[in-house]
Amino acid sequence: MPRKKPFSVKQKKKQLQDKRERKRGLQDGLRSSSNSRSGSRERREEQTDTSDGESVTHHIRRLNQQPSQGLGPRGYDPNRYRLHFERDSREEVERRKRAAREQVLQPVSAELLELDIREVYQPGSVLDFPRRPPWSYEMSKEQLMSQEERSFQEYLGKIHGAYTSEKLSYFEHNLETWRQLWRVLEMSDIVLLITDIRHPVVNFPPALYEYVTGELGLALVLVLNKVDLAPPALVVAWKHYFHQHYPQLHIVLFTSFPRDPRTPQDPSSVLKKSRRRGRGWTRALGPEQLLRACEAITAGKVDLSSWREKIARDVAAATWGSGSGEEEEDEDGPAVLVGQQTDSAMEPTGPTRERYKDGVVTIGCVGFPNVGKSSLINGLVGRKVVSVSRTPGHTRYFQTYFLTPSVKLCDCPGLIFPSLLPRQLQVLAGIYPIAQIQEPYTAVGYLASRIPVQVLLHLRHPEAKDPSAEHPWCAWDICEAWAEKRGYKTAKAARNDVYRAANSLLRLALDGRLSLCFHPPGYSEQKGTWESHPETTELVVLQGRVGPAGDEEEEEEEELSSSCEEEGEEDRDADEEGEGDEDTPTSAPGSSLAARNPYALLGEDEC
């Protein structure tokens, strides 16, 4: 009888891992990402995960691993649309950690808060987005996918050949997600590009504007979302900036949670979230502006009277329901939409060029992660119909909804376009999942050099014996001081948990409770002009008229956790997910904009 071959414990462990991965329906050899809180553990993924198994020369990190019990009846893989970003090398991560400990933070001037879109995207360069290559109905599905894969590899090669990894921002390397964008653009009659008003040039790729308005010949509506998070004068300044540089745009101001900027805010509300009672979504600011823009674009070719009637019903319902004490939204109201989820982005259905087919206008909603695309749809509908989350990549494939019988909305997954933005700014903008950041300290330093975090949070330097003495701050010091103030300790040694503190600060910035707003070029010199602009006063009055004056609100303190479990809970109620929370600090209009501190947060004894 032959002698048995020795089988080590390491080999047995690998055998069990491969068996579990096969059960989950994953490809052979791909390791599921670790959910370690520090995020510093290296993932053993040597090949990039494009949809058809080919690889590029750069290492890719896959984010947002979803549990799976095998492929579904239609072959759906929940990890098919995961975020794919270029991996930071171990040496680069360690270098940034050392810089966070050693580099003294210096406040930057107001001029450095001005962002010019030409410096971010460099129009005319290779910083484009992948286009769908030409195809015909004679091609098979395999031929079509192979052609798209080759074209995508060439696109990645041009970008990585022209710029080094240090200059490039994070951007999407997953072809499957780009296929979702292609399908949405093909089926849309009007395209909505949603941006965050705090940094709209970050979310506005000029290449997409040229493609939609030029090659496709479609109308592009720029939605400046979350206008309650920025001073009204800054909102008006950004609106005129885009009108000047992109004249074909239709610009709409929107927020799902309007509030009156004239109402003074409690500085101690940073650790509290207001839980809205009653009809929160029906008070969205912007649906009527969007309707007027669509009426101007369609020019009477589509009957939008049902949409106008729906807006009137929502306004009336919000007015009648204010102060009624309802604790839940009316889920049994009139059925105003039909939801449809589809996974056919790679099916060769062909670009439909028949506009307004069957008297229905299709409005595609595209944009970066965390700009509020799903919240915008909820605001248009008047109640929660789309799950929203702070986690980038929560919407995994495009979904269509009928707002009225003649208006169809299409929600596209968030896509990150290549640019030259600092990666720290991308983290603050919510493009990268905070729970999976390997090194969050430099992003905290980027924030603290632009707003005085240590002053606003009343932090005490960890090495200070005399609280009144001045001490130089670095990013690590701020994280350690916040961990001491909040009581964040490691489990074993009970040291200050600086990683958890850093994640907590980044979440405050993402929610808008530490508000960092960027300005258009020349804003510092013309700030007084924008504050006295007639449109600024009009916006203030409009926000005060539709704000949640009659809604009942209750506040409860929220534990600002940085654990992975908070990021993983993606099906919470929208009011609890932080996309446009009611407790976000907002500046007052007029002359008080400069005098009032918009970042005042909490007192020394209030945490």
Side-chain angles (χ1 to χ4, degrees):
M1 187 174 180
R3 186 177 181 181
K4 292 184 179 180
K5 186 178 180 180
F7 199 70
S8 67
V9 176
K10 187 175 181 180
Q11 290 174 312
K12 182 64 176 178
K13 183 178 179 180
K14 184 178 183 303
Q15 184 186 59
L16 294 176
Q17 286 177 344
D18 293 340
K19 183 178 180 180
R20 283 194 295 266
E21 287 169 358
R22 285 195 299 269
K23 286 184 177 180
R24 292 171 183 166
L26 300 179
Q27 297 178 3
D28 291 342
L30 294 182
R31 303 288 182 183
S32 58
S33 298
S34 171
N35 261 342
S36 64
R37 228 184 58 199
S38 66
S40 60
R41 189 179 303 170
E42 286 292 323
R43 278 71 172 171
R44 304 178 182 274
E45 298 174 353
E46 297 300 329
Q47 291 185 341
T48 59
D49 193 4
T50 54
S51 60
D52 298 325
E54 296 185 12
S55 63
V56 294
T57 57
H58 298 268
H59 299 297
I60 299 301
R61 186 181 182 197
R62 306 168 194 83
L63 307 177
N64 294 347
Q65 166 75 16
Q66 299 298 314
S68 172
Q69 300 298 328
L71 299 181
R74 300 184 60 183
Y76 173 68
D77 180 7
N79 292 303
R80 179 175 168 185
Y81 304 107
R82 293 170 64 186
L83 296 174
H84 291 182
F85 291 154
E86 186 178 2
R87 181 201 303 275
D88 293 324
S89 65
R90 186 189 296 269
E91 293 76 15
E92 176 65 18
V93 172
E94 293 300 326
R95 183 192 67 80
R96 293 204 299 258
K97 286 183 180 180
R98 289 194 300 269
R101 288 176 175 268
E102 301 170 358
Q103 186 174 355
V104 177
L105 299 177
Q106 300 292 339
V108 301
S109 61
E111 288 74 14
L112 293 180
L113 290 178
E114 299 177 356
L115 281 180
D116 191 349
I117 198 168
R118 292 170 295 183
E119 299 176 359
V120 175
Y121 286 99
Q122 293 188 350
S125 65
V126 296
L127 296 177
D128 204 338
F129 72 97
R131 316 292 176 85
R132 189 173 194 177
W135 59 274
S136 64
Y137 283 103
E138 286 73 23
M139 300 174 62
S140 64
K141 178 179 177 180
E142 290 73 20
Q143 291 174 333
L144 177 62
M145 295 178 65
S146 177
Q147 177 177 282
E148 291 175 351
E149 179 67 30
R150 286 194 301 270
S151 175
F152 186 67
Q153 293 295 327
E154 294 174 0
Y155 160 79
L156 293 178
K158 289 180 181 179
I159 293 180
H160 288 294
Y163 297 95
T164 61
S165 299
E166 291 74 18
K167 288 186 177 181
L168 278 174
S169 65
Y170 295 116
F171 70 97
E172 185 60 76
H173 285 67
N174 188 355
L175 175 58
E176 290 291 348
T177 312
W178 289 109
R179 281 174 171 148
Q180 301 292 302
L181 175 66
W182 297 344
R183 190 69 184 98
V184 170
L185 294 180
E186 287 175 357
M187 67 185 299
S188 297
D189 301 314
I190 300 174
V191 178
L192 302 188
L193 178 57
I194 297 97
T195 62
D196 192 325
I197 190 58
R198 293 173 290 179
H199 33 70
V201 296
V202 174
N203 312 130
F204 185 88
L208 182 63
Y209 167 81
E210 299 293 340
Y211 179 72
V212 172
T213 60
E215 295 186 32
L216 298 183
L218 300 176
L220 182 63
V221 179
L222 175 64
V223 179
L224 299 177
N225 198 16
K226 306 182 184 180
V227 295
D228 58 308
L229 299 184
L234 182 59
V235 174
V236 175
W238 275 122
K239 178 181 177 181
H240 284 263
Y241 173 82
F242 283 103
H243 265 312
Q244 178 183 357
H245 289 81
Y246 304 96
Q248 298 185 51
L249 283 177
H250 302 262
I251 300 181
V252 171
L253 308 180
F254 199 96
T255 177
S256 298
F257 302 98
R259 66 185 310 162
D260 190 350
R262 297 168 294 189
T263 304
Q265 302 299 324
D266 184 7
S268 64
S269 62
V270 65
L271 299 181
K272 296 180 180 179
K273 280 189 175 183
S274 297
R275 305 293 172 85
R276 185 194 300 269
R277 291 180 179 180
R279 301 173 179 271
W281 293 107
T282 57
R283 292 188 176 275
L285 168 66
E288 190 170 352
Q289 293 185 34
L290 182 58
L291 171 60
R292 289 199 297 266
C294 292
E295 286 177 337
I297 294 170
T298 56
K301 298 178 182 178
V302 179
D303 183 12
L304 299 179
S305 59
S306 58
W307 189 0
R308 183 169 294 280
E309 294 171 0
K310 182 191 180 305
I311 293 177
R313 289 196 306 268
D314 290 343
V315 172
T319 304
W320 296 338
S322 61
S324 62
E326 296 178 354
E327 297 193 8
E328 296 182 359
E329 297 180 9
D330 184 11
E331 297 294 343
D332 299 327
V336 296
L337 77 159
V338 177
Q340 174 191 356
Q341 296 183 350
T342 177
D343 190 27
S344 59
M346 65 181 181
E347 297 295 335
T349 55
T352 304
R353 284 293 170 258
E354 181 183 352
R355 302 286 175 81
Y356 318 125
K357 186 177 181 181
D358 299 327
V360 176
V361 57
T362 303
I363 303 175
C365 302
V366 301
F368 279 59
N370 263 320
V371 295
K373 296 182 297 297
S374 299
S375 293
L376 181 140
I377 291 181
N378 290 335
L380 292 177
V381 173
R383 55 189 174 91
K384 182 185 175 184
V385 295
V386 186
S387 175
V388 298
S389 174
R390 287 177 295 186
T391 305
H394 178 65
T395 304
R396 288 180 173 78
Y397 47 84
F398 76 87
Q399 309 165 53
T400 56
Y401 307 87
F402 277 91
L403 179 63
T404 69
S406 61
V407 180
K408 182 168 66 173
L409 303 176
C410 186
D411 186 15
C412 181
L415 278 159
I416 300 96
F417 291 70
S419 67
L420 301 181
L421 278 172
R423 295 188 175 184
Q424 292 81 8
L425 176 54
Q426 287 190 300
V427 171
L428 292 172
I431 293 174
Y432 200 102
I434 291 178
Q436 302 185 46
I437 298 175
Q438 293 178 294
E439 185 277 310
Y441 315 108
T442 51
V444 172
Y446 188 93
L447 174 69
S449 62
R450 283 152 181 82
I451 60 175
V453 174
Q454 62 273 27
V455 176
L456 301 172
L457 296 178
H458 299 278
L459 300 180
R460 180 176 179 176
H461 198 283
E463 299 179 359
K465 297 182 180 179
D466 183 8
S468 61
E470 293 290 336
H471 294 272
W473 289 83
C474 64
W476 189 274
D477 293 335
I478 293 177
C479 298
E480 190 170 1
W482 183 243
E484 179 69 27
K485 194 178 187 71
R486 295 292 295 160
Y488 297 150
K489 302 293 182 180
T490 57
K492 293 185 178 180
R495 299 189 182 96
N496 289 329
D497 195 341
V498 290
Y499 182 83
R500 182 182 178 188
N503 282 10
S504 173
L505 292 171
L506 293 180
R507 285 201 175 87
L508 288 177
L510 178 59
D511 290 347
R513 289 181 274 180
L514 279 173
S515 184
L516 173 61
C517 296
F518 288 87
H519 309 152
Y523 178 79
S524 300
E525 299 176 356
Q526 305 175 359
K527 185 176 181 180
T529 304
W530 293 117
E531 290 177 353
S532 59
H533 197 279
E535 293 188 28
T536 302
T537 306
E538 181 182 350
L539 177 59
V540 171
V541 174
L542 183 61
Q543 285 184 305
R545 186 167 66 244
V546 301
D551 284 352
E552 296 184 14
E553 297 181 358
E554 62 177 1
E555 291 185 350
E556 63 181 56
E557 186 168 349
E558 175 209 14
E559 174 64 23
L560 297 174
S561 173
S562 63
S563 62
C564 302
E565 288 79 11
E566 180 180 349
E567 284 291 331
E569 294 177 14
E570 297 172 343
D571 294 327
R572 294 181 180 180
D573 184 75
D575 291 344
E576 302 178 14
E577 268 299 331
E579 290 205 21
D581 290 329
E582 295 86 351
D583 56 346
T584 308
T586 310
S587 299
S591 59
S592 62
L593 282 172
R596 180 177 174 270
N597 180 6
Y599 309 116
L601 295 175
L602 72 165
E604 180 68 29
D605 57 344
E606 293 174 338
C607 68

